Amino acid sequence: MLDTTGVTDIIVQTGNVLNLNDIVKKPGQKSTDELLECLKLALTNCKKSTVDNKLEITSLEPVYTHGLDTNELLISVKLFVDFGDAQILEDAINKCLKYLGTKCINSLVLSYKPKVDDVDLSEVWNVLERFVLENKICRIGIADLDPDQFIAFYERMQVKPKIVQISLSSCCVVPPALQEFAKLHEIQLLTHNDPQEILPEEKLKEIIADVEPKKVWITRFQAHYKCRGVLATKGYIVGISL
C-alpha cells in the first residue's frame, strides 16, 4: 500500500508505455483502461521521492530511447482537467515540459470538463495563452465544444485555438459549419474517442487506496519522429491534490 502520510500532492509519471508489453498487447483498449494499466505498472516498478509534502512516483521505464535527440520529435500533449486553479495548471504544464526534456511542446489540446462551481473556460485558456506567448507551446487547441461554442470562443480569445477536437461518440460526421470555419481559419480538425471522464475517482481509488483526491489532472503525451511520422514515445503524467 502506498504511504501518503503527510502528503498533499501525488505525481505519477509512467515513462514510455510503448515499451511495456502489457500495454502494447492491448492496442484496442479504451483510454481509461490504458491509463489505469499504465498507472498500475508505474506504481509497481518505480522510484519515489518526497519534497515539500509532494510525493513524486516515476516509472523506471524511461521516457525516451537512450540517446534520442528531442529536436527530432514533434511532441503533442492532451491535458484533461475539471477545475480552473491557474497555479496547479501551470505546474502541470511545467511538469510535462520538464519530464519530456523539452523547452517547447509542439501542440497541446485542452479537455476541460468543469464542475458546476468552477471557473469559465476563458480563464483556463489564459493559462495556456501565457505558455504560447513565452514560446513554451507552439499551438493550443480545445476539445468538445459544439460548432457555435467553438466559433464564439475563437473570436474572443487573444491566442486563437489552432486545433479543435470533437468526440466520435457525440457525432459520426463533422458538422459542415465547423469544417468550413476550420478550413477558412487554417485550424486542424481532429476526432478522438476519449470518454467524458478519463479517470473516474472510484477507479483511481482502486489503484491508490485510502486517498481522497480533491483535484486531479492528467496529461497524455506523445512524440513522433518529424521525418517519419513514427511514434517514438507515449505516456501519462497524473497529478493528484489531496
Side-chain angles (χ1 to χ4, degrees), residues 128-189:
L128 304 187
E129 287 183 326
R130 291 197 291 272
F131 279 87
V132 173
L133 296 174
E134 293 171 0
N135 297 315
K136 294 180 179 179
I137 303 177
C138 297
R139 299 187 304 152
I140 47 179
I142 189 73
D144 303 326
L145 295 184
D146 67 37
D148 290 341
Q149 285 178 318
F150 176 77
I151 292 170
F153 179 75
Y154 181 94
E155 297 292 353
R156 73 174 189 267
M157 289 298 100
Q158 176 189 0
V159 176
K160 309 297 186 184
K162 292 296 184 182
I163 304 165
V164 56
Q165 274 193 355
I166 60 173
S167 174
L168 289 171
S169 64
S170 63
C171 66
C172 298
V173 179
V174 178
L178 185 57
Q179 290 189 53
E180 184 177 344
F181 187 84
K183 183 177 181 180
L184 179 64
H185 295 277
E186 298 183 337
I187 300 166
Q188 186 178 13
L189 203 161

Side-chain angles (χ1 to χ4, degrees), residues 45-228:
N45 184 34
C46 63
K47 59 181 180 181
K48 302 174 186 176
S49 62
T50 303
V51 179
D52 296 330
N53 298 324
K54 294 183 179 181
L55 173 61
E56 190 165 295
I57 302 166
T58 304
S59 170
L60 295 181
E61 179 60 46
V63 179
Y64 301 117
T65 303
H66 179 69
L68 181 65
D69 183 357
T70 56
N71 292 320
E72 298 177 359
L73 301 175
L74 290 173
I75 298 172
S76 60
V77 171
K78 188 167 183 179
L79 171 61
F80 301 87
V81 65
D82 64 3
F83 60 89
D85 187 311
Q87 186 59 59
I88 294 178
L89 294 174
E90 287 179 12
D91 291 345
I93 298 172
N94 282 321
K95 175 63 68 177
C96 199
L97 285 162
K98 181 179 179 181
Y99 190 53
L100 296 176
T102 182
K103 294 180 179 179
C104 182
I105 293 168
N106 296 96
S107 64
L108 185 145
V109 172
L110 172 68
S111 175
Y112 182 49
K113 307 293 171 57
K115 297 174 181 176
V116 176
D117 59 348
D118 222 298
V119 304
D120 184 76
L121 171 60
S122 60
E123 294 185 44
V124 180
W125 190 259
N126 289 340
V127 176
L128 304 187
E129 287 183 326
R130 291 197 291 272
F131 279 87
V132 173
L133 296 174
E134 293 171 0
N135 297 315
K136 294 180 179 179
I137 303 177
C138 297
R139 299 187 304 152
I140 47 179
I142 189 73
D144 303 326
L145 295 184
D146 67 37
D148 290 341
Q149 285 178 318
F150 176 77
I151 292 170
F153 179 75
Y154 181 94
E155 297 292 353
R156 73 174 189 267
M157 289 298 100
Q158 176 189 0
V159 176
K160 309 297 186 184
K162 292 296 184 182
I163 304 165
V164 56
Q165 274 193 355
I166 60 173
S167 174
L168 289 171
S169 64
S170 63
C171 66
C172 298
V173 179
V174 178
L178 185 57
Q179 290 189 53
E180 184 177 344
F181 187 84
K183 183 177 181 180
L184 179 64
H185 295 277
E186 298 183 337
I187 300 166
Q188 186 178 13
L189 203 161
L190 302 172
T191 58
H192 73 85
N193 58 2
D194 296 314
Q196 182 75 13
E197 186 177 15
I198 192 170
L199 185 56
E201 184 174 323
E202 65 272 14
K203 294 293 185 181
L204 175 60
K205 288 183 174 181
E206 289 178 8
I207 298 173
I208 305 177
D210 299 325
V211 297
E212 293 297 332
K214 295 178 180 177
K215 295 176 180 177
V216 178
W217 55 264
I218 301 104
T219 53
R220 181 176 63 213
F221 59 83
Q222 297 185 93
H224 291 80
Y225 291 101
K226 290 180 181 178
C227 298
R228 292 175 282 164

